[in-house]
Amino acid sequence: MTSSSSPSQDTKRLAHAYPEGLRADALMEEDVAWSHEIDGERDGDQFDRSERAALRRVVGLSTELEDVTEVEYRQLRLERVVLVGVWTTGTAQDADNSLAELAALAETAGALVLDGVIQRRDKPDAATYIGSGKAAELRDVVLETGADTVICDGELSPGQLIQLEDVVKVKVIDRTALILDIFAQHAKSREGKAQVALAQMQYMLPRLRGWGQSLSRQMGGGRGGLATRGPGETKIETDRRRIREKMAKMRREIAEMKTGREVKRQERRRNKVPSVAIAGYTNAGKSSLLNRLTGAGVLVENALFATLDPTVRRAETPGGRLYTLADTVGFVRHLPHHLVEAFRSTMEEVGDSDLILHVVDGSHPNPEEQLAAVREVIRDVGATGVPEIVVINKADAADPLVLQRLLRVEKRSIAVSARTGQGIAELLARIDDELPRPAVEIVALVPYTHGKLVARAHAEGEVLSEEHTAEGTLLKVRVHEELAADLAPYTPVSA
């Protein structure tokens, strides 16, 4: 009878045969043969191939706090998440920046980021986004960290969502769903809520699923009877029909709100009031700039998409000309198409403006990417013909070399700091120069009994000179045609 050695004896033999650092590996892999003669002379760990194919951890994404005092004052965190990205193009730094932005989005939505991993692939896997093997590894990461949600840095198809959830056994959402959730939290006005609701329904319509999708809920064949009972309409078909009906109703409501916004625009056009739109990447400081220029008192917070509802405020140039300043919704890389369509009526403020202040965060690691992402959305809403001034904000916190590079590349740019006021005076002077000027220059001696015309000249035109005489107010102004016709009767003969 053959005797077999006990597990403890095998362990003792391995302890003598292998160095200290390799005993665990030898116990795990019995087929590995290691020797001092061959393997002892290797210069370092030979894991290049496995590391190249593995999920690579991105350092510094975790937002979990250990200090009790910090946790005490922190906002409520709803979910514990792990981030997953697929690196297809660009450099490793670009992939890390994209995942870091996804971490900021997750924090804004109220999640606690536990970990983040990136996989290098030519293109996302059609089934599970990262491939079946890496999905199993991701399941281990989820178990290790105790996460209850996985967020993917891209837009997943319905099939990818279902199959990845089947593997990792926790909820899976994509970048689009995350941005929609942030918009839903921050929308305050009736129009903003309607636009977000429409975008959410457009996103959810092809992704409906549930236990009732295969069960009939309605009879087929009219009133029923023999040979007329059919499968009827399933529960999921009923849900889709109701969502389409709600979407049609929401589009009608948004169209009605758009009419009200258009009436206000027409009133500004009738009064010949120039308009300036502030556009830019989210958290670039658009609301801070609006507050600095107009004293509007708009909410300012160090968070992505802190303000969604557009704000229009009255402003005045150093020369005394009135104009309107509109703060628009922030943009982001890969802004979901549903949001561009739903917020089209709001983004029309950019297309109808006379000048765009394109705000970019000068302290961002890659401000050129922010500029490209915003210009892509501006192109989508048909505002490419509007003059643009690139406002490099947060100049007090930016790298001087980055500022010099941006000012050199962007010919129509200016560096400012909305927090300290640096460069604001130069920006106001630049706005005054860039805004369209009234076409007609006229000299008029307006009697004191017609003071309303003088007020209109100040409000609607550009007063070049003003002198109070015995006969009335002598004005030299540049105005539009309608006001010029009203001032024509008071033009001095000598003029």
Side-chain angles (χ1 to χ4, degrees), residues 254-325:
I254 292 174
E256 292 172 1
M257 300 175 201
K258 180 182 176 182
T259 303
R261 189 180 293 277
E262 184 62 31
V263 168
K264 295 178 183 177
R265 288 200 198 108
Q266 288 176 358
E267 183 70 16
R268 294 198 292 266
R269 292 193 200 106
R270 187 179 66 82
N271 293 327
K272 308 296 182 183
V273 180
S275 62
V276 178
I278 301 178
Y281 213 78
T282 179
N283 208 29
K286 298 183 299 301
S287 298
S288 300
L289 184 64
L290 177 70
N291 291 343
R292 173 66 69 171
L293 294 175
T294 67
V298 177
L299 168 70
V300 173
E301 187 179 350
N302 185 22
L304 306 187
F305 301 113
T307 51
L308 289 184
D309 304 317
T311 305
V312 181
R313 290 291 183 269
R314 171 179 168 175
E316 191 174 313
T317 65
R321 281 197 298 159
L322 293 178
Y323 65 96
T324 60
L325 200 59

Side-chain angles (χ1 to χ4, degrees), residues 135-280:
E137 291 182 31
L138 178 62
R139 170 61 179 165
D140 295 337
V141 174
V142 169
L143 288 173
E144 177 187 341
T145 58
D148 49 34
T149 303
V150 170
I151 304 179
C152 297
D153 191 16
E155 185 166 350
L156 304 188
S157 67
Q160 287 174 322
L161 278 172
I162 294 172
Q163 294 193 53
L164 191 56
E165 278 188 352
D166 288 343
V167 177
V168 299
K169 306 301 181 184
V170 295
K171 183 174 68 175
V172 176
I173 64 173
D174 58 13
R175 185 188 184 94
T176 302
L178 179 61
I179 294 176
L180 286 171
D181 182 76
I182 297 172
F183 271 54
Q185 291 181 42
H186 290 179
K188 297 295 185 291
S189 68
R190 179 167 169 259
E191 183 176 12
K193 291 178 180 178
Q195 289 168 332
V196 172
L198 176 60
Q200 285 178 320
M201 286 187 285
Q202 286 177 319
Y203 173 79
M204 288 302 300
L205 185 62
R207 292 169 173 83
L208 284 180
R209 63 182 189 270
W211 63 271
Q213 58 184 340
S214 60
L215 303 178
S216 299
R217 292 305 190 198
Q218 295 180 4
M219 280 290 196
R223 292 181 298 175
L226 293 174
T228 60
R229 295 183 178 88
E233 192 175 32
T234 62
K235 177 68 168 60
I236 197 167
E237 289 168 349
T238 306
D239 292 341
R240 284 175 179 157
R241 176 168 50 80
R242 288 175 178 170
I243 286 180
R244 291 190 187 98
E245 292 171 355
K246 287 183 179 179
M247 287 171 59
K249 180 182 177 182
M250 204 68 70
R251 288 193 180 98
R252 289 194 297 269
E253 291 180 1
I254 292 174
E256 292 172 1
M257 300 175 201
K258 180 182 176 182
T259 303
R261 189 180 293 277
E262 184 62 31
V263 168
K264 295 178 183 177
R265 288 200 198 108
Q266 288 176 358
E267 183 70 16
R268 294 198 292 266
R269 292 193 200 106
R270 187 179 66 82
N271 293 327
K272 308 296 182 183
V273 180
S275 62
V276 178
I278 301 178

Side-chain angles (χ1 to χ4, degrees), residues 110-131:
L112 176 63
V113 179
L114 300 177
D115 207 345
V117 294
I118 291 179
Q119 187 195 11
R120 185 73 169 95
R121 293 180 65 95
D122 293 333
K123 60 181 181 179
D125 182 66
T128 60
Y129 184 67
I130 55 175

Side-chain angles (χ1 to χ4, degrees), residues 443-455 457 467-469 471-475 486-487 490-492:
V443 177
L445 182 61
V446 182
Y448 291 120
T449 55
H450 293 73
K452 287 185 178 180
L453 283 176
V454 179
E467 182 183 350
H468 298 286
T469 67
E471 294 80 12
T473 304
L474 181 62
L475 290 174
D486 294 338
L487 290 171
Y490 306 105
T491 306

Side-chain angles (χ1 to χ4, degrees), residues 10-35:
D10 291 338
T11 304
K12 291 178 182 177
R13 283 200 298 270
L14 286 169
H16 293 300
Y18 294 94
E20 181 71 25
L22 296 171
R23 291 173 189 166
D25 292 339
L27 287 170
M28 295 294 293
E29 299 179 18
E30 296 179 356
D31 298 334
V32 175
W34 194 93
S35 66

Side-chain angles (χ1 to χ4, degrees), residues 389-393 407 410 412-416 423 426-427 430:
I389 297 177
V390 176
V391 182
I392 308 169
N393 194 22
L407 291 170
E410 299 292 337
R412 293 164 55 86
S413 61
I414 182 171
V416 304
E426 293 84 351
L427 176 60
R430 184 79 67 88

